[in-house]
Amino acid sequence: GRGWGGKRMEVELDKPKVCGTCGARDAPLKCPCKAVFYCNAECQRASWKEHRGECTHDLERKLEKDRRRLEGNDPAIVVALFSLGHLYQAQHRLAEAEEKFLEVRRICLPVEEGWGWQNAAAVSSRLGCIYEDQDKLDDALDMQKQALRLYRRVTGDDDDVDVAMTLNSLGSVLARMGQLDRAMAKHKKAHEILSRLYGDDHPSATVVLTNMANTLTLQGREEEATAVREKALGTYRCSLGSESDQVVGTLVSLGNSYAVQGKFEEAHGKFEEALATVRRIHPERNPLEATILMSMGQAQVDQGKLDDAVAMYNKAYRIYRKTIGVETLQGACTLHSTGVVFQRQGKMEAAMEKFNEALAIQRRVGGGEHHDVATSLLNIAVCKNMMGDPQGAVALLREAEGINRKWGSSDGNAQNVAAFLAILEGELSGSGGG
């Protein structure tokens, strides 16, 4: 794939040890919330006023005090749960966020007043996003549908920003499930509502435009996707200014679009503009810089410049290590991409080393049944077969097939696993092996 995908792991593993007060590296003292490090107690005290509202450890203690003095369905409990869920979700501590949001749903759904359904709708949509991050697409679709029904009950009208953004989220889930026409219909409806409410150039409407472009790409309509992304870039610049992460992200998407069409000079221009912008916005190293380098590396692969691609991927990996840490799916994806290049160069042992390193991280971070694990297993199986070990390849492919079957995956990776497995099992059966 172009660029990187996947989710970041739990905050206590991917947070680099940088002091939250003075910025010094290798800070030894970790706040009990696991989200920030400090050099010492003095640095921790100096930042406490700013950190207190985001310290999940402190907020959990306050919540327990509130539970003892208030009834379980008191609105103050709901607010505290929602705030904690929001913080956990922002920190990618998805299991803890899910727990808080499910409790809000349990409290709010029976309350048939506006505030009950409104809060139940909000957490249902957030749960849908969490399940999408976890590749639980059926659960994500169900939650977004429930959120949409609740918002419509509250407003009695489709001309509502929450209705529009939930339609947009529904479209994103449907696109990932391969239901592209339905996804596009949801995006178009969301964009129509937001344009009526705020105008075409509002950032919320532009978010929907970028999702429409992603769906067009999946439909193979790359020229149309490029035009939509160019429009999104213009509206972001008008509404947010040129120095924003949204502009950077759209420039990268445009570069990817041009590269897919073989327009590498245009792609390079967009990537370079994105790189220059992110370095101005974030003078310190930033993960966005690594994201851009990953896309630039893929463009080098598309042009057959494999050594240049490896250099890009290596630099991206170093930046990820410095900014978000070693144990992340982004870092694993970078290792995996490097392995793919080595594989194409016929360097099977070097490729295996990268794939196995990526696989170990993917299993630790995403769990043994993460979609990325199946992808790595497929590539390791290819290497094993090329190195004369078809039985070992079959074992890995069967594991990958089990992961794909569990999630109901039918994408290109799942099809490749099934096809390769059928070929090798046929060969081994014919030769009396396996």
Side-chain angles (χ1 to χ4, degrees):
R2 189 170 298 280
W4 55 266
K7 280 61 67 182
R8 286 171 59 182
M9 71 177 305
E10 301 259 327
V11 66
E12 60 265 31
L13 294 177
D14 74 6
K15 188 79 174 177
K17 296 180 179 180
V18 176
C19 179
T21 300
C22 69
R25 292 194 170 273
D26 298 319
L29 181 62
K30 181 166 62 175
C31 180
C33 73
K34 305 175 184 178
V36 63
F37 289 83
Y38 298 103
C39 295
N40 47 46
E42 184 179 350
C43 277
Q44 186 174 19
R45 283 193 297 270
S47 291
W48 178 239
K49 186 176 180 181
E50 291 78 17
H51 178 60
R52 188 171 189 174
E54 297 181 353
C55 181
T56 54
H57 178 74
D58 191 60
L59 292 172
E60 287 277 15
R61 292 171 61 191
K62 289 179 179 176
L63 174 61
E64 289 310 308
K65 289 180 181 178
D66 286 343
R67 287 187 196 277
R68 288 193 291 269
R69 67 184 184 84
L70 300 170
E71 293 184 13
N73 61 350
D74 190 282
I77 299 288
V78 172
V79 170
L81 287 167
F82 194 94
S83 296
L84 274 164
H86 172 74
L87 286 169
Y88 284 134
Q89 187 177 14
Q91 295 172 5
H92 301 272
R93 297 165 68 172
L94 300 184
E96 290 153 296
E98 178 188 13
E99 178 187 344
K100 301 305 179 189
F101 289 147
L102 284 172
E103 188 173 354
V104 173
R105 262 179 60 90
R106 180 186 59 77
I107 294 170
C108 291
L109 275 175
V111 182
E112 296 187 7
E113 300 173 14
W115 76 268
W117 282 350
Q118 184 78 28
N119 284 311
V123 295
S124 296
S125 185
R126 285 181 177 270
L127 283 163
C129 294
I130 287 171
Y131 295 145
E132 185 180 357
D133 279 349
Q134 295 171 327
D135 291 330
K136 300 175 182 177
L137 298 183
D138 288 334
D139 292 338
L141 188 67
D142 180 57
M143 276 296 171
Q144 296 294 0
K145 285 181 176 179
Q146 289 189 49
L148 186 61
R149 285 195 295 270
L150 288 164
Y151 278 133
R152 282 172 167 161
R153 283 183 195 173
V154 173
T155 64
D157 187 2
D158 266 8
D159 272 354
D160 177 80
V161 62
D162 290 323
V163 169
M165 296 313 293
T166 307
L167 284 166
N168 181 56
S169 297
L170 266 171
S172 297
V173 177
L174 289 166
R176 288 193 59 194
M177 298 175 80
Q179 300 180 37
L180 302 181
D181 290 339
R182 288 184 66 198
M184 185 60 74
K186 300 297 184 188
H187 291 321
K188 285 182 176 178
K189 178 67 173 174
H191 191 260
E192 288 169 7
I193 294 169
L194 292 167
S195 296
R196 281 198 301 271
L197 290 173
Y198 304 123
D200 286 347
D201 58 351
H202 191 272
S204 296
T206 311
V207 168
V208 180
L209 272 182
T210 60
N211 284 328
M212 290 172 68
N214 294 338
T215 302
L216 286 167
T217 292
L218 292 171
Q219 291 176 320
R221 298 157 65 184
E222 199 61 56
E223 287 188 12
E224 294 174 69
T226 303
V228 173
R229 289 186 175 112
E230 289 283 10
K231 181 179 178 181
L233 179 62
T235 54
Y236 272 141
R237 281 177 165 154
C238 287
S239 59
L240 302 176
S242 293
E243 306 287 285
S244 69
D245 287 347
Q246 289 88 339
V247 166
V248 171
T250 309
L251 285 167
V252 175
S253 295
L254 268 170
N256 290 335
S257 280
Y258 283 125
V260 166
Q261 297 171 74
K263 300 177 180 178
F264 296 111
E265 188 173 337
E266 292 92 335
H268 184 73
K270 297 299 181 186
F271 293 144
E272 286 291 347
E273 186 180 353
L275 208 53
T277 304
V278 81
R279 285 170 176 167
R280 287 194 302 271
I281 299 171
H282 306 286
E284 296 291 324
R285 288 292 191 196
N286 186 276
L288 272 174
E289 188 174 348
T291 303
I292 300 163
L293 291 169
M294 286 294 291
S295 288
M296 294 175 80
Q298 180 62 50
Q300 299 291 348
V301 170
D302 293 343
Q303 296 173 82
K305 299 177 180 179
L306 302 185
D307 289 336
D308 292 340
V310 170
M312 290 285 185
Y313 291 152
N314 287 340
K315 188 171 183 180
Y317 184 65
R318 289 195 297 271
I319 293 172
Y320 280 140
R321 284 174 62 97
K322 289 180 180 177
T323 56
I324 59 175
V326 177
E327 295 281 303
T328 61
L329 290 175
Q330 289 97 319
C333 183
T334 310
L335 292 166
H336 185 273
S337 296
T338 307
V340 170
V341 176
F342 287 152
Q343 195 178 57
R344 288 185 58 170
Q345 292 177 317
K347 301 174 181 177
M348 293 300 157
E349 289 187 4
M352 282 272 286
E353 182 181 341
K354 294 297 181 184
F355 290 143
N356 279 312
E357 193 176 348
L359 179 63
I361 295 172
Q362 289 159 352
R363 281 179 162 150
R364 290 194 296 268
V365 174
E369 295 178 331
H370 193 277
H371 186 268
D372 290 350
V373 169
T375 304
S376 289
L377 288 169
L378 169 61
N379 279 296
I380 296 170
V382 171
C383 290
K384 279 188 173 290
N385 187 57
M386 294 286 289
M387 295 168 73
D389 183 11
Q391 290 92 346
V394 165
L396 293 170
L397 290 168
R398 285 172 178 164
E399 184 181 352
E401 187 177 52
I403 294 170
N404 291 330
R405 189 180 294 119
K406 175 178 173 59
W407 296 113
S409 298
S410 58
D411 59 9
N413 178 69
Q415 293 171 19
N416 289 337
V417 167
F420 191 25
L421 181 59
I423 291 169
L424 289 185
E425 286 181 331
E427 291 176 351
L428 289 171
S429 175
S431 64

